[in-house]
Every structure is written in C-alpha cells, then in structure tokens.
Amino acid sequence: MAKEVYSICFMCTVRCPIRVLVENDDVKWIEGNPHVPGIDGALCAKGSAGLALLHDDQRPQYPMIRTGPRGSGEWKKVSWNEALDYVADKLKGIIKEHGGQSVVFGERTNLNTHISKTFMKAIGSPNHFTHDALCKGSLNTAWRSLTGFTDAQVGVDYGNTKYIVMYGRNIFEALEIKPINNLLNAMEKGAKLIYIDPRISITATKADRYLMIRPGTDLALNYALIHTILKERLYDMQYVRRWVKGLKELQAFVEPYTPEWAEAETGIPAAEIVTLAREAAAAKPAVIFHYGYRSAHHPNEIHLRRSLIILNALMGSIEAKGGLFFKKGPKAAGRGDIRKYVEQEFPKIKAPRFDGSGHDQFPIADASHGNPQMLAHAIVNEDPYPVRALIANRFEPLQSIPDAAATRKALDKLDLIVAIDINFSEIAWYADVILPESIYLERADSLQVISGLKPQLYRRQQAVSPRYDTRPAWLIIKQIAQRLDLGKYFPYETIEDIWNFQLQDMGVTIEDFDAKGFVALTDQTLLWDREKGIKFKTPSGKIELVSALMES
C-alpha cells in the first residue's frame, strides 16, 4: 500500500509544496500539496518530471576524483572517505599557505545556505556568494535603493489586485502554480491585466490589453506614465505625502518625458499611455506594476526596475491589499525566529571580500549575495589576494558568469575545484572532485520559512532512499568540516537534530508538520498600518526617490 510523504519540490527555484506517493521505496506519483491554498494539488510539468530525475542513471552515482586534465571527463570512482579526505587535505594546505579567504564558496541559494555560510565563517573566509547576484542583482539594487528592502523581501498580492501591469513577465507560461491560480481568480472577479512585451505570448493573449512595445524602450514608457500621473495628479496624495521623499525632484526629472515623446520611442500611441495611467490610478491602491522576476546587468536595467517600483509608490500600492507587500516572518506572527547555525560566534574575519561587494569597490552591491562577476578577475590578478579554491554547490560559473572563456582560464589557476551537485554540470565536469548530492526526493533538508502575508513553515522530507551512493549537502559540509577540526560548529548528526535546533524558539514541534506537511504561524493577514506603521529601511524611513544608497 502506498504511503504519502509531504515534501518540497526542487525541480526549480520556486520550491512548491508537494505530496509524494511512495510504494516499495519507489515514487509512484508526485502532485501539489492539496492542503495548501492556491496549490490545491496542482503541479507543473517540471515538478512532475521529478519521477524521471529519480531514475536518471546519467547523474553522478558516487564520489569521483579527476585523473586526467580538467574537463577531460577522466575520473576514478572513490569511497566517500577517500573523496572527503582528499578535499580536506587540499583545503588544509591552501588555508595554511594563503589563509581562509583564499577559499570561495558559490551556490544556488537553498534551504541549507545557513550551513554553507557557517562552513565559510568557520574556515575564516568572507567569500560565500550565491547565484542571486547573477540572476537578479539589478532588481535587488533597485528595491534596496528605494525602500531598503531586497526584492526577495517583497511579495505580490495577486489574489486581491484590481489592476496589474506586466512587462515581459509571461506568467501564464511560467511554473508558479500559486501566483497563477491567484491571478486567474482575481481576473474572474474583474481584475484587469495589461501586458507589455515585444512578443505575443500566452500571457498576451489572456490580457485585457496587450501593448506591443519596441524592444528596450520600457523605461521610456514608464517615464511617460510617471509624467502623466504627476501632471494629472493621479497619484495617491495622502500616501505619497506620508511615505515618499523626493517628489519635486522626480517631477522635474520627468518633465521632458511626455506621452508624445514616449510614442516615438516605444511605438505605443500617446493616448494609450495616458489611458493606462488613468485606469491604473482609478484602481489604486489595489494596483500592481509588476517589477519583474529576473533582470539583466546594466545601468538601464536598474533604472527600469526603479521606475516600476516608483509607479507602485505613486499608486500607494506598496503595503496595500491587492498591491505589493513586505513579507512578514515568524516574529511578525508573534513567534520566535527560526534558528540558523551561522548565528554562532566565530573568530573575526579581517580580510575583505574577494569581489568588493558592500565595500569600497562596489559599495552598492549586496554583500549577502556577493558579486561573482568578479571571480575571474580576482583569481587571475590575485586581487585583493590569491584565490586558490572554489567549492561550487549546484552553482554554475561557466554558464552563468559573462565570458566563459575568461572564467575557464581563471579556474585553471586554482589548486582545487570541488563540485557538490546532482548532475554533470559544466563546473562538475571541470572539477577536481565531484561529491554527488542526493536529489530532493532522496533527502531531507533544513526547514523553510515562507514569509508573506500569512507566514508558514514547510518541511522537505526524504521520500525514498538514495538510488546511488549520494549524500545530502548538509552532511557533506559537516564531514569536510570535521576533517578540518571544525566539527564543533556543526552540532548535529541527523536532519531531526537540525529541525529541532531550528524550531527551538518557534513554539512548533516536528510532529506539527505530519498532518499537512506545513505549519501556519497565523491565520491573520499581516499588513502594516499605512498611516504610521510601514517600516522602510532607508535613512529617511521613507521611499527615497533620490536614493541615499546610490547618491553616497
């Protein structure tokens, strides 16, 4: 008889809650968690393909050490002890000669990131970085420059919106089940969708109005919208007066950018631009100018994302029902915070980051994610110091950092490349050691906090035993640390130890997850008081149209 296991998908970065049906230690079916509102048992095609990933015999099946030139595909199968000893011995020599800062750790942000950051702090390196900077660094900068919050701390209230404008965000061909369902429900209740894109996508065909814009001119459109909103005084005056700083400067800046000017730039008629501004204003504050999902890396992109956030600010839709909101965590629900091993006391790290993020070289970059675009430069030029080892945990520098040839040339200078991965990625194929991770169906991970209007906790449970000789990353990292005499920073043996540690201040037990796979921390919708309770993290405590961060 099949048993059900509630877990979290990891076929993409969305991490939808799932129910896995298991029989004879094999997965028979995967579906969305039927207990989660907005999911209702649904799962995208990629999530359903987890069955194929489980039985993929082309993924790494055991630890391997390279025997031929890098990238040659010449390996020898080794035991876990041999592989871990090899990595630890190499790291000991590198750290002894060049210091802990000579080791860098790049990863796709995941539920165990607090553990990998703990490892880096334990060896004395500031150089943990994530894929986020390559994926959406410009969007991160835009949000921080205006509000002090990162884009990851912002959510979209699709289900209650009355008017939503999307720029190339082809949501109806995307993988996010819950936002799609919530938006469709809102549209059934009368919400209007305006879609702006050079391409006619599925989302364009579902929109109430589709505007075919000339590629690369979105910023011109937004400046004309802002011009119209200010000229016709369509903005939320009370909200702007209370929470927005720099309106006069904005008004002077957009003065030349009329709808007629934007028509010549964008190909969208001036009358359409004016209509869009008026319709959005009529629905405020339940309005969303969607700020996008991922972003490119150039100044125009930062200003485009800033303009979208500014439009939301003028509509008064930031921290509004049907608009945008800042995600609330366990503390906002009256709970303690979830614990992380990275919050321990560590020896002080004196070396600066290798990538200059958050410091003199790139003060505007978010140091919590780093600036991996500087990896090749730092290695080749030994600037600000020698970098001798890279640990890549499902992070792909050869396919995500611009100029792969330069990155490959830089990697050749390293004494050690370690790949913790579930497949033969480019960096795994180029590594010195592959430490194969169990896939998400074969492992459990640290608990996930879902911050939002109603914060929740989710748990990834192991559904089946590993098909091959693989291990979870939280165990791999601990076992390397033990060989470096740093095991005291990883005081756990099992995933249950990690869960119990995380939950110490939450008033929640592991057993609370059993019935539905998640724990709701409140049944109340948590929005801050729009009169006096919004907590912007800027120096002024307001949305700064003239950014203190960017100016300084």
Side-chain angles (χ1 to χ4, degrees), residues 101 104-105 117 120 125-130 133 349-359 361-362 365-372 374 378 383-385 387:
Q101 70 274 8
V104 298
F105 193 122
K117 286 184 174 182
M120 294 304 284
S125 176
N127 295 322
H128 178 279
F129 61 92
T130 80
I349 298 173
K350 297 180 180 179
R353 290 184 58 92
F354 82 94
D355 55 17
S357 61
H359 298 289
Q361 191 175 11
F362 297 107
D366 187 349
S368 65
H369 295 296
N371 189 17
M374 293 299 293
D383 178 19
Y385 42 70
V387 172

Side-chain angles (χ1 to χ4, degrees), residues 143-201:
W143 269 106
R144 286 188 300 117
S145 70
L146 283 157
T147 69
F149 288 89
T150 71
D151 61 292
Q153 296 170 312
V154 180
V156 180
D157 188 9
Y158 292 101
N160 292 302
T161 194
K162 296 179 180 177
Y163 199 89
I164 183 168
V165 187
M166 289 188 159
Y167 296 65
R169 177 69 180 109
N170 186 12
I171 191 168
F172 292 133
E173 291 184 76
L175 302 172
E176 292 188 273
I177 299 296
K178 190 172 183 178
I180 291 171
N181 285 343
N182 287 340
L183 179 56
L184 288 172
N185 290 338
M187 292 174 69
E188 287 180 3
K189 293 185 291 185
K192 301 298 182 184
L193 169 62
I194 313 302
Y195 190 68
I196 300 164
D197 197 328
R199 306 157 296 183
I200 301 177
S201 65

